Amino acid sequence: MEGRTRKRKHLEACLLGEVAYQGVSTGFERYRLRYDPLAGLSLTEVDLTTSFLGKTLKAPFLVSPMTGGEELGERINLALAEAAEALGVGMSLGSGRIALENPEALRSFKVRRVAPRVLLIANLGLVQLNRGYGREEVLRLVELLEADALTLHVNPLQEAVQGGDTDFRGLLEKLADLLPTLPFPVLLKEVGHGFSREAAKRLKGLPLAALDVAGAGGTSWARVEEWVRFGQVVRQELSEIGIPTAQAIRECREELPDLPLIASGGVYTGTDAAKALALGADLVGVARPLLNPALAGPERVAEWIANYLEEMRIALFAIGAKTPQEARGRWEAAS
């Protein structure tokens, strides 16, 4: 399927299809925040400011990768970027492979004109390292998009369901060779099926800037690909494979105690964001809930994110945490 058509079908599936996990939750319901009524804080003292990738964000929040490569993607990306700029949060663009291979698609990724100061992260599939991509291509992508960093996404299940690139052999070795040669931070992320303890162990020693656990419980990209191919989810159990987001945070934090972690994958409320921080994440990312607001314009996106961050702030206040960092460990298992 031609790349730009596929991008449009991905958007249509996310907007109209039943692409959220049906039988797997994020796991956040298994945890409670430890309420502290005598912390002695003022709500005005709660400061969401977070340092990440050498920049200061006004909150530990990233607009997660979504789209690009066609006209509707441009409209969505510009709205997301303008809102991120206004609120001082970060933004990661959708996969930029199409921008490298089709110059006409590049325009949909070019958001610096509305977001000159935002932390902007380019994005490319790690599997492309097995398709001839290397240092030259990733340098070119980051330069073209005027990005501050690069995310390499890992998506074997999505690729297999899509009928795409399924040779993931030797990628860790190629990543280890590539990372020291790049002049910008590099993040690794799943696309919504999560990183396990075993996967985290394989990353030890690699000079990554951060890991996005992108767990199960939000959007299943296996389900998205089923919608794109068949107009419905044909293989229900296959599309439910994944590590729940809360579990992925805990397992990756235990194995990689010093690596910044981003929690995405169904982190759709400010309270769940506070739980993610308590469980060991440093930032949270949100994608699909922002699609409809983005179609309505940057003001609607900014309103959605502002409400989310206010809920996060109140949740931190309730557990006596002045900062996102102080939330770490302030959880207990739900009975």
Side-chain angles (χ1 to χ4, degrees):
M1 185 181 296
E2 196 272 335
R4 300 180 79 177
T5 301
R6 176 171 290 281
K7 295 288 186 180
R8 172 58 68 96
K9 288 185 175 293
H10 281 163
L11 279 176
E12 291 172 352
C14 287
L15 288 166
L16 304 172
E18 294 177 357
V19 297
Y21 283 86
Q22 303 297 298
V24 178
S25 75
T26 61
F28 287 123
E29 73 280 0
R30 300 171 194 154
Y31 302 93
R32 286 197 303 257
L33 293 169
R34 287 189 61 82
Y35 182 56
D36 185 352
L38 292 177
L41 293 183
S42 166
L43 182 58
T44 60
E45 291 181 284
V46 179
D47 183 2
L48 300 182
T49 302
T50 300
S51 296
F52 185 59
L53 303 184
K55 290 212 172 189
T56 299
L57 305 180
K58 291 185 179 179
F61 184 95
L62 291 176
V63 176
S64 287
M66 273 180 265
T67 187
E70 50 86 46
E71 185 176 354
L72 189 58
E74 178 182 6
R75 175 179 164 191
I76 290 169
N77 279 337
L78 287 173
L80 295 171
E82 189 172 335
E85 175 81 9
L87 293 176
V89 298
M91 177 178 177
S92 185
L93 293 160
S95 178
R97 175 185 169 191
I98 191 173
L100 290 175
E101 298 180 356
N102 184 347
E104 293 181 5
L106 177 61
R107 178 183 173 88
S108 67
F109 293 90
K110 300 278 279 185
V111 300
R112 275 296 184 202
R113 64 185 185 273
V114 299
R117 295 178 300 276
V118 77
L119 170 64
L120 187 65
I121 305 172
N123 180 14
L124 188 69
L126 181 65
V127 74
Q128 296 309 311
L129 299 185
N130 278 347
R131 295 293 299 270
Y133 277 53
R135 183 174 187 270
E136 180 180 344
E137 287 75 19
V138 298
L139 286 173
R140 181 165 164 252
L141 179 64
V142 170
E143 180 181 3
L144 284 172
L145 304 190
E146 302 175 78
D148 302 295
L150 173 71
T151 286
L152 292 170
H153 66 262
V154 190
N155 59 338
L157 179 57
Q158 180 192 2
E159 291 287 350
V161 173
Q162 177 191 127
D165 298 317
T166 55
D167 184 359
F168 282 73
R169 292 174 295 182
L171 287 175
L172 280 178
E173 292 78 10
K174 290 180 179 177
L175 179 61
D177 290 339
L178 177 65
L179 287 173
T181 74
L182 298 177
F184 42 73
V186 178
L187 303 81
L188 195 67
K189 80 178 299 293
E190 232 287 335
V191 298
H193 298 279
F195 278 108
S196 63
R197 181 185 310 280
E198 293 76 16
K201 285 180 178 178
R202 296 187 183 105
L203 299 177
K204 288 184 177 181
L206 291 181
L208 290 166
L211 178 70
D212 187 338
V213 303
T219 301
S220 163
W221 273 89
R223 292 181 68 90
V224 172
E225 296 296 352
E226 291 266 295
W227 274 87
V228 168
R229 290 185 73 181
F230 308 118
Q232 60 181 320
V233 178
V234 177
R235 296 165 290 193
Q236 294 283 347
E237 288 186 79
L238 184 67
S239 301
E240 295 288 302
I241 291 175
I243 309 295
T245 301
Q247 180 181 339
I249 295 168
R250 293 195 65 191
E251 291 189 9
C252 290
R253 176 51 68 212
E254 288 173 7
E255 296 299 330
L256 302 166
D258 300 318
L259 185 67
L261 293 184
I262 302 165
S264 65
V267 192
Y268 293 161
T269 71
T271 303
D272 278 346
K275 288 183 181 181
L277 297 172
L279 290 170
D282 297 282
L283 291 89
V284 299
V286 174
R288 190 162 55 92
L290 294 172
L291 281 178
N292 274 313
L295 290 173
E299 296 82 6
R300 288 287 300 278
V301 178
E303 179 183 9
W304 194 99
I305 296 174
N307 288 336
Y308 183 102
L309 297 180
E310 180 61 14
E311 181 176 337
M312 184 197 300
R313 185 191 308 276
I314 293 172
L316 296 185
F317 175 65
I319 63 175
K322 286 185 179 181
T323 67
Q325 296 74 30
E326 287 187 8
R328 183 76 57 87
R330 301 192 186 199
W331 62 270
E332 61 188 11
S335 57

